[in-house]
Amino acid sequence: MDESNPQAKRRRYSAEEKQAILAAYEQRTTTQKRFCLEKRVSLPTLHSWMRKAGSRESAGEFVELQPRARPGDGLALEIELRDGTVLRIAAGTDPRWLGQLLLMLRCGA
């Protein structure tokens, strides 16, 4: 394999392999990043497969939305966007403001 050629590293998946990975994804108990690491599939590849399969989850801009409950840090929520940007929302944040922020992000404002 030629290390200088990025195309040489690309793995081809059969339709059966894609289906099996997507089925396993539906049952996952980990984050998308962890799942992709375990299955050795890139996050953009997973999103592409989901989009082609018509998954509703792939339609959104958000990758992960996880409640956080670490005592004393004041963090209530962490949102990871597709581009890797992480938004950390403090406990007590006005939900209306948060809703407006999410709407603006979704619309690309």
Side-chain angles (χ1 to χ4, degrees):
M1 187 177 316
D2 180 5
E3 294 296 322
S4 64
N5 181 358
Q7 296 294 336
K9 294 181 183 182
R10 184 175 292 176
R11 175 159 189 259
R12 300 281 181 200
Y13 293 88
S14 69
E16 293 79 20
E17 289 173 311
K18 291 176 187 179
Q19 275 188 309
I21 290 170
L22 288 173
Y25 176 79
E26 295 298 322
Q27 304 301 315
R28 83 189 197 295
T29 58
T30 63
T31 65
Q32 284 184 341
K33 281 184 182 179
R34 172 62 56 197
F35 177 84
C36 287
L37 285 172
E38 291 170 0
K39 297 296 181 184
R40 296 182 179 209
V41 172
S42 74
L43 197 54
T45 296
L46 177 66
H47 288 158
S48 174
W49 294 350
M50 290 169 64
R51 219 176 7 264
K52 288 176 184 173
S55 171
R56 293 185 68 222
E57 186 173 341
S58 67
E61 291 300 314
F62 305 113
V63 173
E64 298 292 337
L65 181 64
Q66 300 211 2
R68 297 289 185 209
R70 289 181 286 200
D73 69 2
L75 189 61
L77 186 65
E78 189 171 278
I79 302 169
E80 182 177 343
L81 305 178
R82 283 185 190 238
D83 68 0
T85 302
V86 176
L87 303 173
R88 291 181 179 87
I89 311 301
T93 299
D94 179 356
R96 289 175 298 202
W97 177 86
L98 181 57
Q100 289 174 342
L101 172 66
L102 296 176
L103 182 62
M104 288 183 346
L105 288 169
R106 192 158 185 88
C107 294

